[in-house]
Amino acid sequence: MKIVNSIGELSKIINQQKHSHQKIGFVPTMGYLHQGHVSLVEKSLNDGCYTVVSIFVNPTQFNNASDLDNYPSSLDADIKKLKLANCDLLFLPTKEEMYPEGDKLISFNLEGIDKPLEGEFRSGHFEGVVTIVSKFFELIKPNYAYFGEKDYQQLLVIKQLAKKMFPNIAIVAGQIVREPNGLAMSSRNARLSETEREIASKIYNTMQAMNTQRDLTVKKLEEYGSLLLEKIPEIELEYLRVVDAKTLLPATEHTLSQRVFIAAHIGEVRLIDNMELRA
Ligand code: AMP
């Protein structure tokens, strides 16, 4: 696996690959890698791509300074995991390299997909995401870019970005990878104790329980799920919403494809998860 820090070096290698008609697959990450990330790398390799992973903790997508300061990092372990997965290239840029003009954000009309859910609770988050992903897309010009359904709204935001600005990049979704107890894998789980991880799995249990109550109205279903989580003293629920999986607008009884989205705090750690609700 090649490891590069500079845009110059990266561009040279990408151009060589493109010259030999090699398809490029790109997996952006913020590091502290787990099987969720690795599953995206494997997807790209299975698609026959020269696979580029970036590790960059993007400061502009953090709306909370302490979340940024406490973001976990483990570069040596990450490199080992990527080598084991047969990743071709790891791009490790510095902040100066990615933001030569300071934290200037790219603002872009995403047709409203960035407004509900995380958009409502993490002001400016998606502007930061779109800014960094646009920069990476410009530099790497991948044929495929891989994003996890763990961050489902981000996936839809990037699909919208690609449709308008990068029509030659296919956005590929990866399923959520979970711990044996159902907790969605996340770098932020590193900040939870063993006990807290068990408690956090109740988020998954709640979504599953909601899937057994499909005769309830949307409003009652949201109340049912919220009540289950509000009963747990260690969990501070930020939102639980049942929405249209395509538009992320509130679902009605007639919405064909419904999805539940949850954001909750356990101690200092903010967790998000989502699940398709059975038709
Ligand atoms: P992050 O490092 O958290 O920015 O995540 C990088 C990519 O990995 C994003 O596309 C995430 O959606 C994806 N990802 C993170 N956790 C998981 C997971 N548990 N399962 C699948 N994909 C994930």
Side-chain angles (χ1 to χ4, degrees):
M1 181 174 76
K2 290 201 167 76
I3 302 179
V4 303
N5 299 97
S6 77
I7 288 176
E9 248 181 305
L10 173 77
S11 302
K12 215 168 98 190
I13 298 171
I14 297 287
N15 286 339
Q16 281 166 358
Q17 293 299 326
K18 293 218 164 214
H19 228 77
S20 46
H21 303 289
Q22 177 62 60
K23 282 199 186 325
I24 311 279
F26 174 48
V27 182
T29 83
M30 298 203 298
Y32 211 90
L33 303 181
H34 50 66
Q35 195 51 40
H37 299 110
V38 172
S39 72
L40 298 176
V41 174
E42 287 168 348
K43 231 176 170 25
S44 168
L45 289 168
N46 279 335
D47 288 341
C49 293
Y50 180 87
T51 299
V52 178
V53 170
S54 62
I55 296 182
F56 180 65
V57 182
N58 175 36
T60 63
Q61 73 187 66
F62 285 80
N63 55 323
N64 176 324
S66 94
D67 191 22
L68 173 60
D69 291 343
N70 291 310
Y71 203 83
S73 103
S74 60
L75 189 55
D76 289 348
D78 288 352
I79 290 173
K80 275 198 193 119
K81 283 177 195 163
L82 291 174
K83 280 186 176 165
L84 208 64
N86 286 324
C87 171
D88 293 295
L89 189 151
L90 170 60
F91 182 43
L92 280 175
T94 60
K95 182 173 179 230
E96 290 67 36
E97 189 90 277
M98 295 314 294
Y99 289 98
E101 298 164 32
D103 290 355
K104 208 166 104 191
L105 292 177
I106 298 171
S107 179
F108 182 72
N109 181 0
L110 294 159
E111 308 292 345
I113 200 72
D114 55 330
K115 296 290 182 279
L117 305 172
E118 292 297 278
E120 200 180 315
F121 288 87
R122 296 187 73 188
S123 160
H125 168 66
F126 287 122
E127 264 186 305
V129 169
V130 163
T131 299
I132 194 67
V133 172
S134 301
K135 286 173 188 257
F136 281 137
F137 281 2
E138 296 276 0
L139 289 175
I140 298 168
K141 297 189 178 63
N143 303 82
Y144 300 92
Y146 297 81
F147 291 84
E149 289 185 344
K150 163 74 170 47
D151 303 280
Y152 196 87
Q153 187 173 13
Q154 169 176 277
L155 171 67
L156 296 190
V157 161
I158 300 299
K159 279 189 175 169
Q160 188 65 40
L161 171 74
K163 192 172 150 195
K164 290 203 167 176
M165 304 295 286
F166 301 94
N168 295 328
I169 304 178
I171 306 302
V172 186
Q175 284 185 354
I176 302 176
V177 179
R178 299 181 179 280
E179 301 287 355
N181 70 6
L183 171 63
M185 288 192 181
S186 164
S187 308
R188 288 186 175 86
N189 295 350
R191 297 175 55 205
L192 298 175
S193 69
E194 259 327 294
T195 319
E196 286 173 327
R197 282 183 207 203
E198 270 317 304
I199 294 165
S201 71
K202 303 289 181 221
I203 295 173
Y204 174 70
N205 298 154
T206 296
M207 295 189 295
Q208 275 195 317
M210 288 173 72
N211 244 332
T212 66
Q213 305 292 319
R214 299 298 287 131
D215 45 350
L216 295 181
T217 62
V218 168
K219 192 161 178 293
K220 289 278 173 211
L221 189 60
E222 285 180 337
E223 281 169 15
Y224 171 80
S226 302
L227 215 67
L228 287 180
L229 287 173
E230 280 160 5
K231 269 195 211 148
I232 303 163
E234 294 88 347
I235 295 183
E236 193 193 319
L237 183 62
E238 189 166 276
Y239 64 76
L240 180 153
R241 302 262 169 86
V242 174
V243 300
D244 181 316
K246 285 210 177 77
T247 61
L248 304 183
L249 294 174
T252 69
E253 281 62 53
H254 306 293
T255 304
L256 289 179
S257 167
Q258 299 180 358
R259 222 170 162 98
V260 53
F261 288 79
I262 295 177
H265 293 259
I266 297 185
E268 297 280 283
V269 184
R270 184 175 188 273
L271 300 170
I272 57 168
D273 205 344
N274 69 91
M275 187 184 281
E276 185 182 356
L277 292 173
R278 277 194 285 275

